[in-house]
Amino acid sequence: MTESLSHLSQTTDTLVAICTYNEAGSVEAMLNELREAFSDAVLLVVDDDSPDGTAAIVKTVGERDPKVQLLVRRDQRGLGSAIVDAMRIACDGGFDYFLNLDADLSHSPAQMPALREMAQQDPSLAVVIGSRYVPGGEIVGWPFRRRVMSKLVNRFATGVLRLPVHDCSGSMRCYRTSALREIELSSLRCVGYAVLEEVLVRLHQHGYKFGEVPITFTERQTGHSKLTLREAARSIAYMFRLAFESKR
């Protein structure tokens, strides 16, 4: 379904992507809410061949909405590489804006247009981040311990990588594709969650500016989180590597 989206980019400048693995319980509701938020955007689902039938649900939605597109990856796994594949599709398809958010409804699609609006109003911004950690941002459903740990880890990451943002690990973002083309997506090496920080580091190295919009993050109600302790440890280790390389 995603061999060429250039014909669709002629009718919209925006591609919104969600990356899925076993999200059958939420993907249709997510696509419906995204369509309410963006009447014109192409909605892309990058699915890692979910055994629970996620792709079949997306295909059914796509039959009534031709701007819902699906990429099923059968020999790859991982959020990081899925996001990069979606970025590449947005860049190659001729879109001006690439937006991404979690597929489990922890991010509210209704808050996404504010990110694009900020990017449209300020051409100097390469990315606008939906931030949990700026005034007005909020996290709902997390216990106190998880809130504290998340904030400490985030501050650690932004400090080590010297990124001028408050929230460098959230995936709700609006990117300007012209900036993504300049950093050469093929140069990104992380295949896990740390790709979210890696992209920011590359953009920062090119002198781009970032914006942040406060959002509400809500703990997922269906399915299971894909962020394991092993993945979290690997991401932290990769952030140290990024910090070391940026000083060379």
Side-chain angles (χ1 to χ4, degrees):
M1 290 176 66
T2 59
E3 292 182 3
S4 174
L5 296 184
S6 58
H7 64 293
L8 290 177
S9 65
Q10 295 172 9
T11 62
T12 178
D13 61 1
T14 301
L15 184 145
V16 184
I18 56 173
C19 302
T20 59
Y21 184 73
N22 286 344
E23 298 291 356
S26 62
V27 69
E28 184 169 5
M30 169 61 76
L31 290 172
N32 290 338
E33 291 188 28
L34 280 173
R35 180 55 71 217
E36 290 182 12
F38 296 99
S39 61
D40 61 331
V42 170
L43 308 181
L44 171 67
V45 178
V46 179
D47 183 66
D48 282 356
D49 200 16
S50 300
D52 71 344
T54 298
I57 294 172
V58 177
K59 288 179 181 178
T60 299
V61 176
E63 289 174 0
R64 61 177 184 265
D65 184 347
K67 284 189 176 180
V68 171
Q69 294 286 304
L70 171 68
L71 170 64
V72 177
R73 307 192 315 160
R74 291 189 169 82
D75 15 351
Q76 284 183 287
R77 287 286 187 276
L79 177 66
S81 61
I83 290 176
V84 174
D85 279 349
M87 288 178 171
R88 188 175 294 110
I89 289 171
C91 291
D92 294 345
F95 297 90
D96 295 328
Y97 301 100
F98 167 75
L99 289 86
N100 179 236
L101 72 166
D102 290 347
D104 58 8
L105 293 173
S106 56
H107 289 140
S108 170
Q111 296 182 316
M112 291 292 286
L115 279 65
R116 185 176 66 170
E117 289 171 11
M118 178 179 280
Q120 290 171 332
Q121 292 169 5
D122 188 346
S124 71
L125 297 176
V127 57
V128 178
I129 298 169
S131 178
R132 300 161 290 181
Y133 302 122
V134 294
E138 186 180 7
I139 296 175
V140 176
W142 277 8
F144 178 75
R145 181 179 179 183
R146 187 173 178 185
R147 289 170 181 264
V148 172
M149 289 299 297
S150 174
K151 200 160 190 176
L152 288 175
V153 169
N154 211 324
R155 285 183 177 178
F156 163 79
T158 54
V160 166
L161 300 176
R162 298 182 180 180
L163 293 170
V165 295
H166 297 84
D167 192 342
C168 67
S169 60
S171 65
M172 181 191 259
R173 298 178 181 177
C174 174
Y175 299 89
R176 197 176 304 277
T177 55
S178 58
L180 293 178
R181 293 186 189 99
E182 189 170 341
I183 66 172
E184 299 181 7
L185 296 174
S186 59
S187 70
L188 299 175
R189 296 190 299 277
C190 183
V191 297
Y193 284 74
V195 76
L196 296 168
E197 286 86 4
E198 184 178 13
V199 170
L200 295 182
V201 169
R202 302 299 179 216
L203 291 171
H204 189 47
Q205 289 172 339
H206 279 75
Y208 282 109
K209 295 181 180 180
F210 306 154
E212 290 185 275
V213 171
I215 64 164
T216 298
F217 179 93
T218 305
E219 176 69 345
R220 66 183 299 154
Q221 300 300 308
T222 62
H224 303 282
S225 174
K226 313 303 187 296
L227 181 58
T228 62
L229 288 175
R230 180 178 181 182
E231 177 60 34
R234 184 168 62 176
S235 295
I236 291 173
Y238 194 79
M239 281 187 275
F240 272 114
R241 179 178 172 182
L242 284 173
F244 174 75
E245 292 177 351
S246 65
K247 293 179 180 179
R248 296 173 64 180

